[in-house]
Amino acid sequence: MGKFTKEDIIRLVKEEDVNFIRLQFTDILGVIKNVEIPTSQLDKALDNKMMFDGSSIDGFVRIEESDMYLFPDLDTWVVFPWITGKGKVARLICDIYNADGTPFAGDPRTNLKRVLKEMEEHGFTHFNLGPEPEFFLFKLDDRGEPSLELNDHGGYFDLAPMDLGENCRRDIVLELEEMGFEIEASHHEVAPGQHEIDFKYADAIKACDDIQTFKLVVKTIARKHGLHATFMPKPLFGVNGSGMHMNVSLFKGDVNAFLDEDGDMKLSKTAYQFMAGIIEHAKGFTAVTNPTVNSYKRLVPGYEAPCYIAWSGQNRSPLVRIPASRGLSTRVEVRSVDPAANPYLAMAVLLGAGLDGIKRDLTPPKAVDRNIYAMNRKERKEVGIEDLPGSLSAALDELQNDEVMTKALGSHILNNFVEAKEIEWDMFRTSVHPWEREQYLKMY
């Protein structure tokens, strides 16, 4: 039973004096799209009769099959706390359906629901996610365009006066709380201008919806402070990039399937199998969890981001870490994911990888409790630690060669995602960058 009925929403629109409603969805590249309607069209939207042109969205459909329907998820109803020039705006997140009434295979949210159904066939009821998205705040220039000038010189957990982003971050937290988010932590990150806000875990669909809402709120509030918030994985050379660690756990009803009080490290066999699946498919899912050319500038040694495929209970250099808390909080933390990832697709591949580990009863390699960055290639090889793909191009090859990962995306999303990303890689590969001119123009 959902939180809201159709009648509730019609009543809330009047009570809250809402003038416009955004019907939101996410495209394959993770970009939020929306169709804004006046409240006079609300009945039509709530009856799932709102259409849009799918051919205008990258990677959705061709012109000749363009009519698509938006099916609002009533539980995602929220009124944005800020008022635009035209009164209050609310939003509903939608699933996308074909004109014949069937779910659209190219909709990332619908695809995640498909993988969750497979999870239920294995006897699990929930896949929970607690995300830790990081972002940078840059000043806007006189024209309102983002500059590369940071607005503070703070470091990890710094307070004012070093952390000038504090007021902006506090406003973001207040707005999120007003929208029903349960914020667990908010602090300055390691790099100047870098911030992190963590919110309470939720089931996979809601958590992904929350990530997309979070990005929207962060960007909106930053702009009011004369700042530009970016979730680009590595905007600056020589400092840490931004990650979005994914803390995941499988549940059977109220029971955390990753916990076993008598197990090694109090982890269940299921937890170890799941983790083994993540490690087995790490190369295959990296194109999805790290989907831009820029993502691979973050996955390099020396800046806390993982670039090696290993796991540990305490060490922060491997791909997978098991945080110390137990009980309901027992979880597996996948540290490679970055905030440019489409959360629905990232969760689909992580769940697909973990379920494969459970299905095939895989065993993870030995934990690595020393600093992997301090090990040389030979030492890493001796303990069986492999590297993550070093570029978007290499990651796309790994993705297409991994049957479990291609199945987790489905052929429609896979083909369109790969096509878009190969174009992106090719544009990057054939462009001449300032670094090249600096290095070679005078030398040769």
Side-chain angles (χ1 to χ4, degrees):
M1 187 60 191
K3 283 190 303 193
F4 294 111
T5 63
K6 200 174 141 182
E7 292 69 34
D8 288 338
I9 286 173
I10 291 167
R11 177 177 51 80
L12 287 165
V13 163
K14 288 200 178 96
E15 281 176 13
E16 300 256 6
D17 194 26
V18 171
N19 291 355
F20 288 88
I21 293 136
R22 288 184 190 167
L23 302 175
Q24 278 183 358
F25 58 94
T26 297
D27 73 6
I28 287 174
L29 300 180
V31 178
I32 299 170
K33 304 287 183 183
N34 65 83
V35 176
E36 190 165 276
I37 58 165
T39 48
S40 58
Q41 297 285 303
L42 181 62
D43 278 353
K44 190 176 168 186
L46 295 177
D47 287 339
N48 302 329
K49 294 206 170 78
M50 214 68 207
M51 295 189 88
F52 76 102
D53 176 7
S55 67
S56 60
I57 307 293
D58 276 348
F60 269 27
V61 285
R62 299 183 298 275
I63 296 282
E64 61 272 20
E65 51 194 32
S66 61
D67 285 344
M68 313 202 88
Y69 284 97
L70 293 165
F71 278 42
D73 178 341
L74 304 191
D75 287 348
T76 62
W77 169 262
V78 74
V79 179
F80 289 122
W82 56 85
I83 292 178
T84 59
K86 49 198 174 184
K88 280 194 185 169
V89 177
R91 77 92 211 268
L92 285 161
I93 293 174
C94 303
D95 290 324
I96 297 169
Y97 278 66
N98 299 311
D100 64 3
T102 54
F104 171 49
D107 173 22
R109 196 172 188 265
T110 298
N111 178 68
L112 176 54
K113 288 183 175 179
R114 176 183 66 82
V115 184
L116 288 165
K117 274 210 170 62
E118 191 189 321
M119 170 200 79
E120 287 166 13
E121 287 160 19
H122 288 280
F124 303 103
T125 55
H126 296 86
F127 184 41
N128 284 342
L129 163 65
E132 300 175 14
E134 296 170 343
F135 57 94
F136 276 85
L137 292 173
F138 290 104
K139 289 181 181 175
L140 293 171
D141 66 16
D142 301 341
R143 300 191 312 280
E145 290 295 315
S147 70
L148 283 180
E149 195 185 337
L150 296 163
N151 76 315
D152 71 57
H153 297 284
Y156 198 49
F157 284 122
D158 264 359
L159 291 172
M162 292 299 277
D163 176 7
L164 300 175
E166 193 182 14
N167 292 338
C168 175
R169 198 172 63 236
R170 190 180 293 132
D171 279 1
I172 290 166
V173 168
L174 291 172
E175 298 279 357
L176 288 167
E177 286 183 332
E178 204 172 316
M179 291 169 71
F181 276 72
E182 202 173 318
I183 303 298
E184 296 199 323
S186 148
H187 58 84
H188 200 290
E189 257 301 331
V190 176
Q194 190 184 33
H195 303 268
E196 180 180 313
I197 297 172
D198 304 336
F199 38 95
K200 190 175 167 62
Y201 72 85
D203 68 85
I205 295 285
K206 184 180 184 314
C208 291
D209 291 347
D210 286 348
I211 289 168
Q212 294 300 74
T213 304
F214 173 82
K215 288 180 174 177
L216 198 67
V217 172
V218 168
K219 283 179 174 289
T220 304
I221 303 306
R223 195 155 261 283
K224 291 188 171 178
H225 283 260
L227 299 168
H228 173 72
T230 181
F231 291 92
M232 178 181 178
K234 185 86 170 184
L236 298 171
F237 172 72
V239 298
N240 285 20
S242 292
M244 182 167 66
H245 301 161
M246 299 286 217
N247 292 275
V248 295
S249 51
L250 283 169
F251 273 67
K252 291 184 175 183
D254 297 333
V255 178
N256 187 333
F258 284 0
L259 175 69
D260 178 356
E261 291 291 351
D262 302 321
D264 185 26
M265 286 176 66
K266 293 194 176 179
L267 294 178
S268 67
K269 186 178 181 195
T270 302
Y272 283 109
Q273 292 167 329
F274 187 94
M275 184 162 54
I278 295 282
I279 286 168
E280 170 104 348
H281 295 288
K283 290 182 180 179
F285 65 60
T286 296
V288 178
T289 54
N290 306 84
T292 68
V293 163
N294 180 256
S295 297
Y296 297 84
K297 309 278 170 92
R298 170 181 164 258
L299 298 178
V300 294
Y303 297 101
E304 293 191 16
C307 40
Y308 306 118
I309 303 168
W311 76 276
S312 171
Q314 56 248 48
N315 186 349
R316 285 174 185 266
S317 59
L319 173 80
V320 174
R321 186 174 78 95
I322 307 296
S325 41
R326 289 295 176 265
L328 287 178
S329 300
T330 310
R331 61 196 189 270
V332 168
E333 181 186 34
V334 185
R335 299 174 58 80
S336 60
V337 189
D338 71 44
N342 179 330
Y344 303 100
L345 298 186
M347 284 302 270
V349 291
L350 292 180
L351 179 54
L355 288 178
D356 187 55
I358 293 166
K359 235 184 316 196
R360 289 166 51 208
D361 189 16
L362 296 179
T363 308
K366 269 204 179 106
V368 180
D369 294 327
R370 51 191 282 217
N371 183 353
I372 306 175
Y373 300 135
M375 296 163 76
N376 62 34
R377 187 177 285 273
K378 184 168 171 284
E379 289 173 311
R380 292 199 303 273
K381 203 172 176 186
E382 278 165 8
V383 288
I385 298 173
E386 292 192 61
D387 297 6
L388 284 173
S391 69
L392 180 59
S393 174
L396 288 169
D397 289 344
E398 295 283 0
L399 170 64
Q400 291 171 90
N401 290 329
D402 187 326
E403 252 174 66
V404 174
M405 295 298 89
T406 56
K407 185 169 163 277
L409 294 177
S411 59
H412 183 108
I413 290 178
L414 174 76
N415 295 338
N416 285 284
F417 179 83
V418 168
E419 185 186 356
K421 291 296 161 185
E422 282 180 341
I423 292 168
E424 183 179 330
W425 173 254
D426 214 50
M427 284 166 67
F428 171 73
R429 189 181 62 80
T430 55
S431 293
V432 178
H433 302 276
W435 182 90
E436 295 170 85
R437 283 192 282 267
E438 281 165 23
Q439 295 290 317
Y440 308 133
L441 201 64
K442 288 181 183 167
M443 191 193 289
Y444 296 105

